[in-house]
Amino acid sequence: MSDKRNIRIRYSGILEKIRNFMLSDKSREFLIFLFFAFVSFCFWLLQVLNDDYETELSIPVKMKNVPESVVMTSELPTELRFGVKDRGTVLANYKLGHTFLPITIDFSEFIGRGTHIQIPTQSLANRITSQLNQSTKISVIEPDTLEIIYMQGKGKKVPVQLQGAVKTERQYYISNITYSPDSLTVYAPNSILDTLQVAYTQPLDMENISDTLRQKLDIMPIKGARFIPSHSDITLMVDVYAEKTLEVPVHGFGFPQDKVLRTFPSKVQVSFQVGLSHFKEVVPEDFIVEVDYKDLKDMDSEKCKPVLRVISPYVNHVRIHPQEIDYIIEQQGFQHD
């Protein structure tokens, strides 16, 4: 309690000193000094900003009306840089609060002029000037030329395929992958189209997922090729494994017409893991358990090993129990006409 009381006393003493200082003659003199210093700074700043300066600005560039069959082999710059000269107040406004609208180049205006188009950036100066103050002068524009190099490509459809490594938590698995769209149109020269069979997505690497995952992935670019569209919405459906056991009859395979296989037991247990979404769909008819006559005719043992020939596509980690069963081969009699 004494510590808290001492703190309050010290705090009150500090407040009292501050109050006395603010009401003293020295305090008034100090505040007057600060006021005139601030006014002097404002006059100095206005004087400085009224002088002429030079600086560099940038403006975005984009292109429109590009036909789908056109494949760009050169990269159009994303912006133009240009030097300007004007009063400091105007340049400060450009730097701090002004947003320039993009310069849009209409591809359709250059159709028929060849596949290598050069646009002097000086010809775009009017579009830049229209967004500047009348007092602002442009000194230089970089780059000085925009190059558009392209080719007319043929198109074909290719399927989308996920690229990467996606791992689930234990007892979970990816039951299905869907793509929207599941195929894209690619435009490219014949030399590329002939070898291009699949459109791969950008790599997706994730671990320990336990729920359905949806991702919008861009398509991996290929130089000289253009994908329409350039992305796909990927859905990875995640399911949880469950254990299930069914009784499946054992059949003989490759036996002569006069011989019949009898096994003891006549059915075996087939155990497996299956996703909950397909748990009720998997039935004994989805499996075929067989004993091959060729494996028995040279055997001396009274036991045989049944083999699983057909497996449902929804299951894994399949086991048969028992792994060996007793059997006999019965001779059948036939009456001839």
Side-chain angles (χ1 to χ4, degrees):
M1 293 293 293
S2 60
D3 289 341
K4 291 183 179 179
R5 185 169 178 275
N6 290 335
I7 291 174
R8 279 199 296 269
I9 293 172
R10 291 176 184 175
Y11 181 70
S12 300
I14 293 172
L15 289 180
E16 183 67 20
K17 290 180 180 180
I18 293 174
R19 188 177 70 83
N20 292 336
F21 175 76
M22 296 299 293
L23 296 175
S24 65
D25 292 338
K26 289 183 179 180
S27 172
R28 286 194 293 270
E29 292 175 0
F30 178 70
L31 292 176
I32 292 171
F33 168 77
L34 287 180
F35 172 75
F36 282 106
F38 176 73
V39 171
S40 300
F41 173 76
C42 291
F43 278 115
W44 173 82
L45 184 61
L46 288 174
Q47 182 65 36
V48 168
L49 291 178
N50 275 326
D51 291 339
D52 286 344
Y53 297 93
E54 292 187 9
T55 190
E56 183 180 86
L57 303 174
S58 63
I59 189 168
V61 177
K62 66 179 184 178
M63 185 176 292
K64 68 176 183 179
N65 295 329
V66 180
E68 292 183 349
S69 60
V70 167
V71 179
M72 294 290 181
T73 57
S74 67
E75 293 290 337
L76 191 71
T78 57
E79 64 180 19
L80 293 178
R81 301 182 306 277
F82 57 98
V84 292
K85 183 177 181 179
D86 207 333
R87 297 190 313 276
T89 52
V90 177
L91 299 183
N93 178 56
Y94 292 147
K95 289 285 190 180
L96 300 177
H98 191 82
T99 301
F100 291 104
L101 298 176
I103 291 181
T104 302
I105 297 173
D106 191 343
F107 184 87
S108 62
E109 296 178 1
F110 303 97
I111 294 177
R113 300 188 188 181
T115 58
H116 187 176
I117 302 167
Q118 293 184 322
I119 306 172
T121 53
Q122 197 60 38
S123 66
L124 305 175
N126 289 338
R127 303 193 198 182
I128 301 175
T129 304
S130 64
Q131 300 188 55
L132 301 175
N133 281 18
Q134 292 183 353
S135 59
T136 304
K137 305 298 181 185
I138 297 177
S139 57
V140 64
I141 304 177
E142 294 181 350
D144 57 2
T145 303
L146 296 181
E147 282 193 324
I148 303 174
I149 305 174
Y150 70 95
M151 63 177 63
Q152 291 284 349
K154 295 181 180 179
K156 76 172 184 180
K157 285 274 191 179
V158 292
V160 180
Q161 185 169 323
L162 178 64
Q163 183 178 218
V166 180
K167 298 180 180 179
T168 61
E169 289 187 0
R170 291 188 62 184
Q171 292 299 113
Y172 290 86
Y173 73 105
I174 297 174
S175 60
N176 193 22
I177 301 177
T178 62
Y179 304 85
S180 180
D182 59 2
S183 61
L184 311 172
T185 301
V186 56
Y187 294 94
N190 287 333
S191 58
I192 296 178
L193 283 183
D194 291 343
T195 58
L196 187 58
Q197 303 300 326
V198 176
Y200 290 101
T201 67
Q202 294 281 1
L204 177 64
D205 296 311
M206 299 190 73
E207 294 184 352
N208 300 324
I209 67 171
S210 59
D211 199 1
T212 296
L213 179 67
R214 295 176 177 85
Q215 291 281 324
K216 182 176 183 178
L217 298 177
D218 291 333
I219 301 301
M220 284 287 291
I222 296 176
K223 188 174 182 180
R226 185 183 183 196
F227 294 97
I228 304 294
S230 60
H231 63 270
S232 182
D233 294 319
I234 315 296
T235 301
L236 292 92
M237 300 177 184
V238 177
D239 201 356
V240 61
Y241 279 124
E243 189 77 14
K244 187 173 184 176
T245 300
L246 296 173
E247 284 195 339
V248 179
V250 180
H251 299 281
F253 176 77
F255 278 74
Q257 291 186 358
D258 62 342
K259 290 181 172 60
V260 175
L261 174 71
R262 305 292 184 191
T263 63
F264 308 95
S266 61
K267 295 182 178 180
V268 294
Q269 291 185 336
V270 177
S271 301
F272 50 87
Q273 288 185 336
V274 59
L276 285 179
S277 59
H278 298 290
F279 191 86
K280 294 182 179 180
E281 299 176 31
V282 181
V283 293
E285 289 73 23
D286 292 328
F287 304 89
I288 294 180
V289 177
E290 293 179 337
V291 175
D292 197 326
Y293 179 71
K294 291 188 300 183
D295 297 336
L296 298 181
K297 61 182 181 179
D298 298 327
M299 286 178 55
D300 295 331
S301 173
E302 295 181 352
K303 293 184 178 292
C304 63
K305 290 186 176 181
V307 177
L308 195 61
R309 300 293 186 190
V310 177
I311 302 175
S312 168
Y314 302 125
V315 305
N316 59 23
H317 296 101
V318 184
R319 292 95 62 203
I320 294 178
H321 181 78
Q323 296 182 354
E324 290 187 338
I325 56 178
D326 296 320
Y327 76 97
I328 61 172
I329 299 175
E330 292 184 351
Q331 186 74 32
Q332 298 291 316
F334 289 90
Q335 294 182 351
H336 298 280
D337 294 335

